[in-house]
Amino acid sequence: MSALVSPRRALVRRATVVAAAAVTLLVTALPEAASAHGSAADPPARAFDCLRRWSDNHQAPEMASQDPMCYQAWQADPSTMWNWNGLYREGVQGNHQAAIPDGQLCSAGRTQAGRYAALDAVGRWKATPKSRNFSVNIFDQAKHGADDVRVYITRQGFDPTRQQLGWGDLELVSRIGNTPAAKWQPAANGVTLSVDADAGARTGHHIVYTIWQASHMDQSYYFCSDVVFPAA
């Protein structure tokens, strides 16, 4: 496990450019929430991913069978998805584990009066295929920049389809410090930041948990992204 991001090689840089372009195309097509902030866009955070797939057809009855986890989230509170870029807490002062109880990591401790509580639901969330060496791309509409970004992945053996996510289920795999928005990559309606991560020998369905501490104030964002790593 590496706590710091290693220097990017040419291949990684090229992959980052491609990923940033894909994020740009994606976020340009999405509706904006009332107050612009941001999200993990690739691999997509749960609310962002549901909106990406269903925003144009969010009342479709087939969602219940084709995408039951997104369906239960839409049924619980549609604003979970419409406000895909507002999953944050204020005043945490970097003490994330004290602010967010086990079982509530994906909703940031039921932040925003419980708007995002459905994201904590255990089940078969759609998972994005990823290689074991990948990047987390954060989209920042408001150009807040970052004081700190931490990327965690669940330990091998954790089953996100049957277990509530707790802090003890996570391992820190990457971290970067102060990165002003001017150093992020330009994107339509904002900027993006790419953080390299190494999943090690992990296989199967995992949760990538990203904490983005914005620079403009003590405002921290929390994202659960479902991924699937290839078999050994």
Side-chain angles (χ1 to χ4, degrees), residues 46 100-107 119-123 152-155 158-171 206-210 223-226:
R46 286 177 172 176
I100 301 176
D102 286 347
Q104 298 182 16
L105 274 69
C106 297
S107 68
L119 302 179
D120 291 317
V122 175
Y152 300 81
I153 308 177
T154 48
R155 300 174 186 275
F158 176 80
D159 184 355
T161 70
R162 302 183 64 175
Q163 296 173 260
Q164 285 278 3
L165 180 63
W167 290 103
D169 301 313
L170 296 171
E171 292 182 322
H206 283 269
I207 296 174
V208 175
Y209 192 62
T210 304
F223 309 121
C224 282
S225 302
D226 292 87

Side-chain angles (χ1 to χ4, degrees), residues 25-195:
L25 291 173
L26 177 60
V27 298
T28 302
L30 289 177
E32 292 190 16
S35 180
H37 298 288
S39 178
D42 182 26
R46 286 177 172 176
F48 189 91
D49 200 28
C50 289
L51 187 71
R52 178 180 62 86
R53 285 197 299 277
W54 295 101
S55 61
D56 292 335
N57 200 21
H58 62 278
Q59 294 181 328
E62 59 266 27
M63 191 197 312
S65 58
Q66 294 179 12
D67 202 346
M69 300 313 295
C70 284
Y71 178 78
Q72 63 86 31
W74 279 104
Q75 295 301 306
D77 189 344
S79 65
T80 302
M81 276 61 67
W82 297 127
N83 291 276
W84 57 273
N85 55 7
L87 210 171
Y88 64 85
R89 296 182 67 92
E90 294 179 346
V92 173
Q93 298 181 335
N95 198 357
H96 307 292
Q97 294 190 36
I100 301 176
D102 286 347
Q104 298 182 16
L105 274 69
C106 297
S107 68
R110 307 289 165 85
T111 192
Q112 312 295 327
R115 170 184 289 164
Y116 302 97
L119 302 179
D120 291 317
V122 175
R124 295 189 178 279
W125 291 88
K126 297 286 187 181
T128 302
K130 287 291 177 184
S131 65
R132 293 188 186 90
N133 289 287
F134 66 103
S135 296
V136 173
N137 291 285
I138 300 171
F139 174 62
D140 179 3
Q141 283 183 302
K143 301 182 181 180
H144 291 320
D147 280 345
D148 184 46
V149 177
R150 307 181 193 189
V151 177
Y152 300 81
I153 308 177
T154 48
R155 300 174 186 275
Q156 188 66 20
F158 176 80
D159 184 355
T161 70
R162 302 183 64 175
Q163 296 173 260
Q164 285 278 3
L165 180 63
W167 290 103
D169 301 313
L170 296 171
E171 292 182 322
L172 180 68
V173 298
S174 191
R175 184 176 183 181
I176 63 173
N178 182 261
T179 312
K183 294 185 178 181
W184 294 37
Q185 292 296 314
N189 301 319
V191 292
T192 63
L193 178 68
S194 181
V195 182

